[in-house]
Each structure stands twice: as structure tokens, then as C-alpha cells.
Amino acid sequence: MRSENIINTITVKTILEQPYDKIEAEFPDYENVNLSWSELKHVLNLKTWQIALKNQKAVYLITDTATNKRYVGSAYGDDMLLGRWCSYVENGHGGNKELKALVEEQGLDYIKYNFRYSILDIYKSTTDDETIIARESWWKELLLTRNPKFGYNAN
């Protein structure tokens, strides 16, 4: 069948920001996640990524490629890592004090063009929340993200 014969019978449901890549649709190992903001926005709509992220507690890293500052966060609430990362796509700051101030000062486009998202530690959903919080604190100490010169963590 030729495209001229069916063109008027199809409906465009979505236009992707980036070309579809079958490999991209598959979730990689957790230690291989390293996404730009636009990549994160895209993969959070993919079923394989949603399944992989919504049942995992984690400690994650956000890197500002313009300043090399970092933010360490943890995910253990509703929808765990999926829920946390969806909030960053939605507003750029996920409710975090320093990131919120950055969005207010620089605008959401700054986040969209300069932030990368990766996973430092991954945990089963049954892991105690205090374990996740303790590990998050360890990473903050290691990466010096509580120091305004190096990071965006206020606590």
C-alpha cells in the first residue's frame, strides 16, 4: 500500500522532541543512566523506564554542566525514583530550596540546557528509608555538595 492511499486515514498523536531510537526505549542498567533534561523528559514517558524507576529507591546526582556544581538527592516516596524525577521535569527544582532559587534566578531554560541526571545508588523498594537518607548524606559529604562553591545542597 502506498502512503498516498493512507495519509488521510492516519492521526498524529504525538510529535517527539527527539527522533525515536529503539535502543533508547530500553532501560539500561541503573549504573549507566546519565541523561540531559530533555532526555529525561522523553524517557519518563516510556513504559520500560517507568517500570524500572517507579519501584526503586535511590540516591541520585544532578550535575550542572555550566558550573560543575552538583546536587545529591534521594528517592523513597511515592513512585520512588520515577516520582522524584518527574517533579524535576515538571518544574526544574523538585521542591529543593537551592534549585528553586536557581530556577527563579536563571529560569527553567537554564535547567533544561545545563542539567544532567544520574544514579549513584539503587535500592529495593523494601529498603528502610533511613538507610537511603544516610547514604544520601554520605554522598553529600563525599562530593562536597553542601558547600555553595561545589553544590546545591542546603542541608
Side-chain angles (χ1 to χ4, degrees):
M1 183 175 273
R2 297 180 55 123
S3 61
E4 295 89 12
N5 297 337
I6 64 165
I7 194 72
N8 292 325
T9 64
I10 60 174
T11 303
V12 175
K13 292 198 177 215
T14 256
I15 298 175
L16 299 176
E17 289 183 26
Q18 299 175 2
Y20 176 78
D21 182 349
K22 184 175 180 354
I23 296 171
E24 183 182 283
E26 298 302 318
F27 183 80
D29 294 332
Y30 292 99
E31 62 268 11
N32 291 321
V33 173
N34 181 16
L35 304 166
S36 68
W37 184 91
S38 62
E39 291 168 333
L40 180 65
K41 181 180 179 188
H42 173 69
V43 300
L44 290 178
N45 291 311
L46 302 176
K47 195 58 121 178
T48 54
W49 282 75
Q50 291 172 356
I51 292 167
L53 299 177
K54 76 176 179 179
N55 294 310
Q56 297 296 317
K57 294 182 179 182
V59 178
Y60 56 88
L61 180 69
I62 300 174
T63 303
D64 181 339
T65 60
T67 64
N68 211 25
K69 286 186 176 184
R70 291 172 172 79
Y71 175 84
V72 173
S74 60
Y76 50 86
D78 292 340
D79 290 328
M80 297 173 216
L81 191 52
L82 177 65
R84 288 301 298 135
W85 282 3
C86 282
S87 68
Y88 290 111
V89 166
E90 182 180 320
N91 59 31
H93 56 74
N96 299 296
K97 178 183 172 185
E98 297 298 320
L99 296 181
K100 191 173 186 177
L102 183 65
V103 170
E104 289 172 5
E105 179 184 315
Q106 298 286 337
L108 185 57
D109 280 347
Y110 181 85
I111 303 295
K112 290 179 179 181
Y113 295 113
N114 295 300
F115 274 31
R116 296 199 65 83
Y117 303 81
S118 57
I119 299 170
L120 297 171
D121 289 324
I122 198 78
Y123 298 92
K124 294 186 286 185
S125 62
T126 56
T127 303
D128 189 74
D129 292 350
E130 285 73 35
T131 300
I132 311 301
I133 294 167
R135 191 66 176 166
E136 174 189 21
S137 184
W138 185 85
W139 279 107
K140 288 175 184 178
E141 289 296 320
L142 182 72
L143 298 173
L144 306 172
T145 61
R146 291 184 179 113
N147 181 330
K149 182 177 177 182
F150 302 112
Y152 293 118
N153 287 103
N155 60 351

